[in-house]
Amino acid sequence: MSPSTAGRFADDLRYTDLVAGYYLGASDELLAAIADFSAWFFAWDDRHDRDVVHGRSEKWRRLCGSLHDVLEDPQGHRGHADPLVSALADCLIRMRPYLPATWSSRFTDHFHPVIDAYDREFDNRMHDTVPTVAEYIELRRLTFAHELWIDLLEPTAGCELPESLRGDSAFRRAALATQDFAAWYNDLCSLPKEIAGGELHNLGISLIRHESMSLQEAVAEVHRRVGECVETFLATEPAVLALADRAAVSGEHGVRHAAAVGSCLFNMRNWFSSVYWFHQESGRYRTETWDDQSTPPYVDDLGGLP
């Protein structure tokens, strides 16, 4: 967006508000950095979409290369000519001081496959390929960046969790349920916009194309999966609370680790209401208000990006 466009649309899009309920307890500085990272993600998603629409394959490939590079050296890319690259560098620099280098390395390791997944989606759209339901679910868990949003629970809690807690089956199941909920609910709310824009990547579209469902049947199935995510989380929540109780009496850092698990679980639960509220309030999904439903009004790009 140009500064003037941002001034007109940013508040209505509510990008930075999305994370406010998911990272309660973070310092103001960290929360601002995560919120800006969330807004960056939406801007990157829109760049991806417009590069597909305008067939800018070479520019997209260069962008992917630059994003891979910035993950390894954010300080060296803070002044990059592409504002999308420099903005990511800025977000990373601001988020990384809150936990040790081991956390930053893990976050980086989780981020590289996200860029590659966006690239696979780019190729699918360029070749009019609709992934199967199974292929789409695997791809969506990457393009939605499940692992990144889960990783960011730890700096919010002020503690890097040991693998024994972070990798616990109940902790993982609860965390992934929140992210799948967000991804499928997003698909549900963005389906009209994406059908209008000729999009190919949406759980509903994969169900229609590969499972021979009508639009109404596909919407009902996505609804069912959204509800199943909530049920999975609620059924798993007691096991995560028990995990925190066990952590509290184990090792010299037990109490601190238990508090961090509790913080993570508390904010996982908040993700449901945050995601629901965001999709009802953000102008990004109110397609009936757009003159051209294939292009959001805040996107001003006729193919001339440098």
Side-chain angles (χ1 to χ4, degrees), residues 41 44-45 48 60 113-122 143:
F41 220 95
W44 180 38
D45 189 72
H48 172 264
W60 169 254
V114 172
I115 298 169
D116 292 339
Y118 259 88
D119 195 35
R120 291 203 301 276
E121 182 176 318
F122 187 95
T143 58

Side-chain angles (χ1 to χ4, degrees), residues 151-164:
D151 283 341
L152 286 166
L153 291 169
E154 291 170 84
T156 297
C159 177
E160 182 180 21
L161 292 173
E163 176 58 29
S164 60

Side-chain angles (χ1 to χ4, degrees), residues 165 221 288:
L165 297 178
E221 174 60 15
E288 69 277 3

Side-chain angles (χ1 to χ4, degrees), residues 36-89:
D36 287 348
F37 176 63
S38 175
W40 176 88
F41 220 95
F42 282 106
W44 180 38
D45 189 72
D46 284 336
R47 172 78 71 85
H48 172 264
D49 180 64
R50 303 323 294 165
D51 280 355
V52 170
V53 169
H54 296 299
R56 297 191 291 242
S57 297
E58 290 186 12
K59 291 179 180 178
W60 169 254
R61 299 285 185 261
R62 285 200 300 273
L63 174 61
C64 287
S66 295
L67 296 180
H68 279 299
D69 291 343
V70 77
L71 293 179
E72 301 301 331
D73 179 23
Q75 193 67 52
H77 290 79
R78 203 168 195 173
H80 197 281
D82 188 329
L84 201 63
V85 178
S86 60
L88 176 59

Side-chain angles (χ1 to χ4, degrees), residues 95-111 148 151-152 154-155 159-163 166 256-257:
M95 291 190 297
R96 286 185 170 183
Y98 288 89
L99 283 182
T102 48
W103 179 88
S104 294
S105 177
R106 171 160 45 96
F107 189 81
T108 295
D109 288 344
H110 286 156
F111 209 141
L148 300 185
D151 283 341
L152 286 166
E154 291 170 84
C159 177
E160 182 180 21
L161 292 173
E163 176 58 29
R166 185 177 65 247
R256 182 168 178 250
H257 288 159

Side-chain angles (χ1 to χ4, degrees), residues 27-28 39-40 146 159 173 233 238 240 286:
S27 68
D28 289 347
W40 176 88
H146 282 25
C159 177
R173 187 161 57 251
F233 179 84
V240 183
R286 291 200 291 273

